Amino acid sequence: MAHQNFVPGIASQDLKNDVELTISAKNLLNKDVLSKSDPMCVVYVQHLDHSWVEHGRTEQICNTLNPEYTTKILIGYRFEELQKLKFKIYDIDSKSTVLDKHDFLGEAECSLGEIVSSRNFVTTLHHPKNKYTGQLCIKAEEIGSLKEDVELLFSAEGFKKSGILSKPDPFLAIYKESTLVHRTPFIKDNCNPEWPSFVLPMRFLRTKDEKSVPLMLQCWNWNGDGSHKLIGEVQVTTQEILSAPKTFSLSDKKTGKSVGKLSLHESKVRKTHTFLDYVSGGTQINCTIAIDFTASNGTPSMPTSLHYMGPTPNLYEQALLSVVTIIQDYDSDKHFPVLGFGAKVPPNGNLSHEFFVNLSANPHCFGVGGVIEAYRRCLPLIQLYGPTNFSPVINHVARFAAAHSNGDNYFVLLILTDGEISDFPETKQAIISASHLPMSIIIVGIGPANFSSMKELDSDNGHLTADGRSAVRDIVQFVSFRDFLHQADSSRASIELASALLAEVPNQLVAFMKLKKLTPKMPF
């Protein structure tokens, strides 16, 4: 009898399992004088050429040498491959996303196989100048098919004052099998806290094989120096959490005496959807391209120019080929608007930060070939000028995204640029406004310039903020093309560039759909 999954002539995808890594550390180096370190963990994956490429980051935890991170690292596991991982821990001292600006606390290397084959993987962190720098602890859990979220709403009452005059600053922590899965914000000076509702994936509260597992709920009194005090705890089960409303008695861990009540008011279970659910249901990915034609690129007729048209594709063309070749498969008509900025354009030589590169009334170019052709034809007809303003092209795409926010369309703006942004405050405001829309922005840095401001826009460690406004989600991904030019094979560099640029788009699309409570349409 033939097996149902036997398909000759292809490579099986069944052997790839998505696993989720939970990371913690113990006894880290303390690099701060008046307080404790503020550690964050950065995870790297080793590629076939033995280079290390960043895969993800945890959150930063303030004032602790024993961090327990709630940010999970998702990675595909293959039994038949040696998948080398590197974990680096940094003491975060500022808002900069450039790791070299922070104190290095230690690193460890291992294989994903070592982690998944160990129930609790523990390894020593290494530092070139310190003999002992603490331990790294990692747990791996297969995600499986638990495609549900749970929205929870908790409050507590009856906490005692933490001093003669002061009230506690309580926060709630949830553990599954001794692994921290969620930590709420603390509520300042409150004996009867009401925490904001929050959403957890169902896999945080159960396993693939067991519908109900033991959970520990702990209420802590937050302290700015990291020395939080446990107020009380209660052990419950997944089934109890899903049976709201419920009231639990919190007990002192040492004496067993009641220290207050913890109330679960709501637990709403809802189905979650993936990027593939949306695109197979008909969501179209619309890509707009914006190209930097400022004078800092150099005169296009000179071989030193980043826009030089030689016998081989220049870096702008390589980036266009890399990204558009992939993204055009998700666009039904494969017509891409191509915009230019920072140049004087015909017929009158007016400076423009939002012109059509094909210099016609219709900005659309067909396929990656049409995009490259329009780019090449445009260069001899314009004068490279400046400054480097991003906000006009961001607002251009945002207007279209605002008119198509029902889930049928998602917009991606690809910006290719050689330098720092001139209208940085306006660009931040444009991105914050666009974070409410079905839109992502991917930026490729071309050439040797300092792209530090771009990394601030790519706010992986928190939402972008400016003038009291905050983005509702992260929509920017920045990559410097020079980071991929170590490859001897230019095609390999292009593949890795596209992978790094497009990695966050699926999650950003799903985050928008969740924000607007939009479900996928059924595929025809």
Side-chain angles (χ1 to χ4, degrees):
M1 182 177 181
H3 290 281
Q4 286 184 335
N5 293 332
F6 175 56
V7 184
I10 70 166
S12 174
Q13 296 300 310
D14 295 339
L15 299 178
K16 180 181 176 182
N17 301 83
D18 285 333
V19 296
E20 197 171 54
L21 303 184
T22 299
I23 301 171
S24 61
K26 296 179 181 178
N27 304 317
L28 294 176
L29 282 175
N30 191 10
K31 290 286 188 175
D32 292 346
V33 178
L34 300 177
S35 62
K36 296 175 183 176
S37 294
D38 306 324
M40 176 184 75
C41 184
V42 185
V43 183
Y44 298 83
V45 174
Q46 190 178 60
H47 282 199
L48 293 175
D49 63 353
H50 302 294
S51 64
W52 291 100
V53 177
E54 183 177 328
H55 182 76
R57 301 184 182 191
T58 67
E59 78 276 21
Q60 168 196 357
I61 300 182
C62 296
N63 288 314
T64 182
L65 304 183
N66 302 286
E68 294 181 272
Y69 299 106
T70 58
T71 300
K72 313 296 181 182
I73 303 298
L74 182 66
I75 191 167
Y77 165 67
R78 278 188 177 274
F79 173 77
E80 73 276 16
E81 292 181 9
L82 176 63
Q83 297 170 277
K84 296 288 289 183
L85 304 177
K86 182 184 289 186
F87 301 82
K88 289 188 174 185
I89 297 183
Y90 292 86
D91 176 16
I92 304 302
D93 295 315
S94 68
K95 293 183 178 180
S96 174
T97 58
V98 180
L99 295 174
D100 290 343
K101 295 185 180 294
H102 307 288
D103 290 326
F104 174 60
L105 301 182
E107 69 179 17
E109 290 184 28
C110 63
S111 72
L112 185 55
E114 289 178 279
I115 297 172
V116 299
S117 62
S118 172
R119 182 171 179 84
N120 294 293
F121 180 79
V122 180
T123 187
T124 301
L125 290 164
H126 299 281
H127 191 284
K129 297 181 180 179
N130 297 84
K131 186 175 181 181
Y132 182 77
T133 57
Q135 291 181 311
L136 183 72
C137 311
I138 310 169
K139 291 184 179 180
E141 182 177 358
E142 184 181 355
I143 290 179
S145 57
L146 297 177
K147 294 170 65 175
E148 290 179 327
D149 283 341
V150 185
E151 183 176 359
L152 302 171
L153 179 63
F154 281 95
S155 69
E157 59 181 287
F159 292 162
K160 293 182 179 180
K161 292 183 177 180
S162 54
I164 298 176
L165 299 175
S166 63
K167 296 178 181 179
D169 303 331
F171 67 87
L172 173 66
I174 303 176
Y175 290 81
K176 181 184 75 173
E177 298 175 341
S178 74
T179 299
L180 178 67
V181 297
H182 187 73
R183 182 192 295 114
T184 69
F186 68 88
I187 306 294
K188 191 168 180 61
D189 294 330
N190 204 313
C191 293
N192 303 292
E194 297 179 2
W195 293 285
S197 63
F198 54 92
V199 177
L200 298 179
M202 181 66 82
R203 63 181 183 274
F204 282 19
L205 301 177
R206 53 164 289 195
T207 66
K208 186 176 69 169
D209 301 317
E210 298 179 78
K211 291 187 176 181
S212 190
V213 299
L215 303 170
M216 179 66 74
L217 309 180
Q218 293 183 333
C219 289
W220 292 78
N221 182 13
W222 181 85
N223 197 314
D225 64 5
S227 59
H228 314 308
K229 303 294 184 184
L230 180 62
I231 298 173
E233 64 181 23
V234 58
Q235 185 153 335
V236 300
T237 65
T238 310
Q239 198 58 45
E240 289 178 291
I241 290 292
L242 299 179
S243 303
K246 286 274 188 180
T247 299
F248 307 102
S249 178
L250 292 167
S251 300
D252 185 283
K253 188 172 184 177
K254 295 180 179 178
T255 66
K257 293 182 179 179
S258 176
V259 293
K261 293 181 179 180
L262 180 67
S263 297
L264 172 61
H265 302 282
E266 294 179 353
S267 58
K268 300 176 181 176
V269 178
R270 58 195 187 203
K271 180 177 172 62
T272 59
H273 303 286
T274 67
F275 173 74
L276 289 178
D277 291 333
Y278 287 101
V279 295
S280 63
T283 297
Q284 292 290 306
I285 309 295
N286 305 283
C287 182
T288 298
I289 298 150
I291 302 173
D292 182 340
F293 289 108
T294 55
S296 55
N297 283 280
T299 301
S301 60
M302 302 296 292
T304 54
S305 172
L306 294 171
H307 283 303
Y308 178 66
M309 294 297 171
T312 58
N314 64 34
L315 293 182
Y316 278 91
E317 291 175 302
Q318 290 180 46
L320 288 169
L321 286 164
S322 301
V323 179
V324 179
T325 299
I326 293 175
I327 211 164
Q328 68 180 357
D329 289 341
Y330 299 94
D331 190 308
S332 60
D333 64 7
K334 294 179 174 44
H335 280 84
F336 302 100
V338 185
L339 308 177
F341 59 91
K344 291 185 175 181
V345 299
N348 300 318
N350 293 328
L351 176 63
S352 176
H353 297 291
E354 185 186 346
F355 64 91
F356 299 163
V357 168
N358 59 12
L359 302 176
S360 72
N362 184 345
H364 290 83
C365 303
F366 180 72
V368 65
V371 173
I372 297 294
E373 182 183 3
Y375 165 69
R376 284 179 166 257
R377 286 186 174 181
C378 173
L379 275 170
L381 303 176
I382 63 173
Q383 180 186 356
L384 276 57
Y385 207 74
T388 307
N389 290 350
F390 277 16
S391 61
V393 293
I394 294 173
N395 291 329
H396 176 98
V397 177
R399 288 192 290 272
F400 287 92
H404 299 84
S405 57
N406 64 349
D408 289 344
N409 291 272
Y410 194 83
F411 295 81
V412 176
L413 170 60
L414 169 63
I415 302 177
L416 309 180
T417 183
D418 82 313
E420 293 290 276
I421 305 170
S422 303
D423 64 337
F424 195 68
E426 293 83 0
T427 293
K428 289 177 73 173
Q429 291 293 345
I431 292 170
I432 290 169
S433 296
S435 71
H436 296 265
L437 303 174
M439 180 174 169
S440 291
I441 302 169
I442 51 182
I443 305 171
V444 185
I446 305 291
N450 175 9
F451 294 111
S452 57
S453 61
M454 307 295 181
K455 294 172 182 175
E456 182 180 344
L457 300 179
D458 186 358
S459 49
D460 287 332
N461 203 34
H463 290 170
L464 185 67
T465 60
D467 299 330
R469 299 176 67 214
S470 295
V472 295
R473 58 193 183 93
D474 176 22
I475 66 168
V476 177
Q477 173 75 343
F478 168 76
V479 170
S480 173
F481 201 176
R482 64 170 176 256
D483 293 344
F484 298 86
L485 295 179
H486 59 273
Q487 297 280 0
D489 180 3
S490 61
S491 64
R492 180 76 182 179
S494 295
I495 290 170
E496 292 196 359
L497 171 70
S499 176
L501 278 172
L502 298 173
E504 293 188 13
V505 170
N507 288 337
Q508 291 171 354
L509 181 149
V510 172
F512 170 78
M513 299 299 184
K514 277 189 176 181
L515 180 69
K516 300 299 182 180
K517 297 182 170 57
L518 297 171
T519 57
K521 295 178 172 58
M522 293 297 293
F524 296 107

